[in-house]
Amino acid sequence: MGRNVNSKYWDEELETLPREELEKRQLADLQEIVQFAYDHAPYYKRSFDEAGVKPSDIKQLSDLQKFPFINKKTQRDTQGVGSFLGELAAVPEEDVVFISTSSGSTGVPTMSPFTKKDFDEFQDTESRWFWQIGMRPNDRYVHALNFSLYVGGPDVIGAQNLGALCIWGGTLPSERLLFILKTYKPTIIWTSPSYAWQLGEKALKSGYDPKKDFNIKKIIVAGELGGSIDATRKAIEDIWGAEVFDFYGLSDIFGACAAQCEYHDGLHIAENHILVETVDIHTGEILPPGETGELVFTTLRKHARPLIRFRTGDIGRIDQTPCKCGRTHGRIHILGRKDDMFIVSAVNVFPSDIEAVIREQHGITGEYLIRIFEKDFTSKYAVEIEKNNDNPKDDATVADEVSAALKARIGVKPAKVVVHPDGGLNTRSEHKSKRIIDERKLDYTI
Ligand SMILES: [Zn+2]
C-alpha cells in the first residue's frame, strides 16, 4: 500500500496536528455526534430535554460541560430497552456489524456495538498504536489475548492491516505459547502484564532463556495497570530483554484507546476519537487539564452507540503539552480504578502504588495480594508477598523491609505484611489476576 516504513508515524498529518487544528476538528465532530445522538438515541433525547440543553448549545468544546453525565449504570439500565441494542444506540441493528461486551468486572456485562465504519476506524486506530511502538510489515506478531467477546480480541486486525505477520495466539496454554515463541520466533507479543511476567518466569523454570531462546523485541501489555508502573514494566523488560509498552482500552469504546510511545511518559490518547474531561470524583466538578480526577470520555465518531460524557471510573490526568515524539495528541496517566482506591488515615491509596513498591524490592518474587479490611471504623490494609527461595533473610526481616518501603512511598504503613514461600500465593493466572480482596463490610462509597 506504499506506506513508507521509515516514517515514524502511521498518519503523520493526524498525529501531529497543531493543537488548535485538533480542537477545531474535535468541535466539528462533537457538534455532529451530539446532534446525531439527540436525533437517534431515545435516551439522549430524554436526558438532554430533562437537563434543558440542546445540541445547538455547543459553540465551543467547553459547552459540553452543560450536558449530563452517563456511566456504566446508564448502559445497563438502557440495554435491551425498546430494542435489542437499547436506548443509547443510535443506529438500527442492521447497521451493526460487531458487538463486544465488557470483560465483566461486576454486574451485568454491557455490550458495545460498532457499525462497519466505527469498526474500520477502530482498527485504523489500532494500526496507529502498533506503528507507534515500532511494528512494521516485517514483524511477526503474536496476539495472545482472549477473543471471546473481549474488545481486545479484534485489535489483531489492526496489526494485519499494517502488514505484520499475525499469529492469533488467543489464550493458549503457556507450554504451547512458549513453543510458538521458540519455533516461530515472533518479534512482538501482546498480553496482560501479569501474564507477561508469569510467562517469563515459566520460561525460566522450563529451562528457556527468554533473552536468547526467543526473538521478542517488544511486549505490549494492557488490561491491568502494570504497564504504567515503571517498576513492573522494568521487571518484565529484565526477564525478556524486550521493551514493554502499555496500552489502555475500554470495552465501552475501543480495544486500545491510548498507547505509550517510545518515551513511556503517559499514553497518547486518540483525541480525534475521544474528548477527555477530568472531574472531581466526589462532586463531578470539572478540573483543569493536568489535575488528577475521574476521566470522562466523549466518543466523537462512534455512531452505533455514542457515549456523551461517560464517567469511566478510572482515575488519572491528561497532559496536553507536546511530547518529545512529536505527536500532539494528549497523554493520559492512569492511577487506577475509582473502585479500587481506598482511604487509610486520610491518604488515598491505590493498589498500583503498592504494586510499584513490591516490584522494586529485592529478594521477593513480586507476586502480592492486598487485603483491605475495617478496624476501629477505619480502613486498613495488609499485604501478602512471596519470599524468593534463595533469600537468606528471615521472614520478619523481609516483612519489616516491605512495610518500611510502603510507608516511605505511600505515607501509611500496612497493618501487616505476611510472608509466604515462592509460589505460596495463589495469584498466578493465565489472564487478569485477582490481587485485591476487600473485606470491608460497611456499605459506603468513596
Ligand atoms: Zn510521545
Side-chain angles (χ1 to χ4, degrees):
M1 98 194 128
R3 199 177 295 269
N4 177 6
V5 294
N6 296 318
S7 169
K8 187 171 174 169
Y9 308 102
W10 172 253
D11 185 338
E12 180 161 1
E13 195 215 336
L14 174 67
E15 291 171 57
T16 62
L17 272 181
R19 184 92 228 151
E20 203 179 305
E21 195 56 40
L22 181 57
E23 290 183 1
K24 211 188 280 176
R25 280 201 198 187
Q26 285 184 315
L27 179 60
D29 284 342
L30 180 67
Q31 288 168 327
E32 197 271 331
I33 203 76
V34 169
Q35 185 71 54
F36 187 81
Y38 184 76
D39 292 343
H40 296 96
Y43 177 84
Y44 288 116
K45 166 96 175 77
R46 194 167 64 238
S47 82
F48 294 177
D49 285 348
E50 276 169 16
V53 288
K54 44 189 194 309
S56 59
D57 291 344
I58 296 186
K59 307 268 193 285
Q60 52 189 1
L61 289 176
S62 59
D63 290 331
L64 183 62
Q65 293 168 19
K66 300 170 188 156
F67 286 71
F69 292 119
I70 57 167
N71 57 24
K72 205 76 181 172
K73 186 170 181 305
T74 322
Q75 292 186 27
R76 281 197 205 103
D77 292 349
T78 56
Q79 190 163 286
V81 177
S83 68
F84 169 62
L85 295 169
E87 292 185 305
L88 280 175
V91 300
E93 187 183 331
E94 54 266 35
D95 290 351
V96 171
V97 298
F98 173 69
I99 53 168
S100 68
T101 76
S102 56
S103 45
S105 15
T106 46
V108 185
T110 54
M111 56 185 165
S112 171
F114 291 77
T115 64
K116 175 77 170 69
K117 185 165 165 288
D118 292 344
F119 193 80
D120 290 347
E121 293 199 4
F122 161 31
Q123 292 314 331
D124 189 65
T125 306
E126 302 313 304
S127 299
R128 189 199 309 180
W129 305 139
F130 287 127
W131 194 273
Q132 175 171 305
I133 65 138
M135 184 188 286
R136 295 295 180 268
N138 60 358
D139 274 302
R140 290 180 206 159
Y141 166 63
V142 180
H143 192 67
L145 295 179
N146 188 357
F147 284 92
S148 51
L149 292 170
Y150 171 55
V151 73
D155 287 19
V156 66
I157 299 167
Q160 273 177 215
N161 289 347
L162 178 154
L165 185 159
C166 295
I167 301 160
W168 295 29
T171 49
L172 281 175
S174 312
E175 293 77 15
R176 291 208 51 202
L177 190 50
L178 290 173
F179 176 78
I180 284 176
L181 300 192
K182 169 88 178 149
T183 50
Y184 298 172
K185 294 277 192 293
T187 47
I188 303 176
I189 184 171
W190 180 352
T191 184
S192 67
S194 54
Y195 191 56
W197 163 279
Q198 286 151 23
L199 189 67
E201 277 194 325
K202 172 102 185 174
L204 289 168
K205 283 178 184 158
S206 312
Y208 292 110
D209 179 348
K211 289 179 188 153
K212 292 206 189 95
D213 294 330
F214 309 137
N215 192 31
I216 294 291
K217 306 270 193 271
K218 297 182 167 97
I219 300 174
I220 301 165
V221 295
E224 300 163 335
L225 259 185
S228 276
I229 301 170
D230 288 345
T232 298
R233 213 176 55 241
K234 181 104 192 9
I236 300 170
E237 289 181 337
D238 285 348
I239 294 185
W240 290 90
E243 188 174 2
V244 173
F245 293 88
D246 192 26
F247 280 19
Y248 164 84
L250 286 177
S251 56
D252 319 281
I253 304 179
F254 287 168
C257 305
Q260 285 184 336
C261 66
E262 70 267 34
Y263 293 100
H264 302 277
D265 181 16
L267 286 75
H268 286 284
I269 183 154
E271 286 198 89
N272 60 316
H273 279 289
I274 299 168
L275 187 72
V276 181
E277 295 175 279
T278 319
V279 302
D280 184 287
I281 52 173
H282 305 288
T283 63
E285 214 170 290
I286 201 94
L287 300 172
E291 278 192 31
T292 299
E294 182 174 356
L295 297 173
V296 176
F297 289 167
T298 294
T299 55
L300 296 169
R301 302 181 59 87
K302 268 185 89 180
H303 283 78
R305 191 199 53 185
L307 293 181
I308 313 289
R309 303 200 87 200
F310 174 62
R311 290 185 72 150
T312 61
D314 282 325
I315 308 294
R317 62 188 166 85
I318 183 161
D319 177 358
Q320 287 170 327
T321 61
C323 179
K324 281 184 266 180
C325 71
R327 291 179 181 84
T328 51
H329 293 239
R331 286 163 287 156
I332 52 170
H333 296 258
I334 308 273
L335 285 178
R337 297 280 309 158
K338 191 167 65 172
D339 301 342
D340 289 342
M341 188 188 86
F342 55 97
I343 300 172
V344 181
S345 309
V347 174
N348 291 345
V349 181
F350 286 97
S352 56
D353 287 329
I354 297 176
E355 175 171 328
V357 171
I358 304 290
R359 294 277 156 89
E360 277 163 5
Q361 292 291 303
H362 295 289
I364 59 178
T365 65
E367 287 295 327
Y368 66 92
L369 190 69
I370 302 166
R371 283 182 197 280
I372 310 164
F373 58 97
E374 213 133 35
K375 203 179 164 203
D376 305 329
F377 305 103
T378 178
S379 293
K380 305 260 184 198
Y381 75 105
V383 177
E384 301 189 25
I385 54 162
E386 292 176 353
K387 188 169 88 170
N388 282 345
N389 290 336
D390 57 3
N391 185 343
K393 291 177 186 162
D394 62 45
D395 288 1
T397 309
V398 172
D400 284 348
E401 284 174 1
V402 170
S403 182
L406 285 166
K407 162 93 174 136
R409 168 81 167 240
I410 298 164
V412 281
K413 257 169 61 163
K416 194 156 71 164
V417 176
V418 182
V419 180
H420 297 274
D422 187 350
L425 278 174
N426 195 21
T427 45
R428 290 169 174 80
S429 78
E430 304 270 313
H431 199 46
K432 287 192 188 185
S433 298
K434 177 90 185 135
R435 298 176 188 282
I436 305 164
I437 298 175
D438 193 341
E439 295 169 342
R440 291 173 296 181
K441 291 193 185 68
L442 277 184
D443 184 23
Y444 58 70
T445 48
I446 48 176

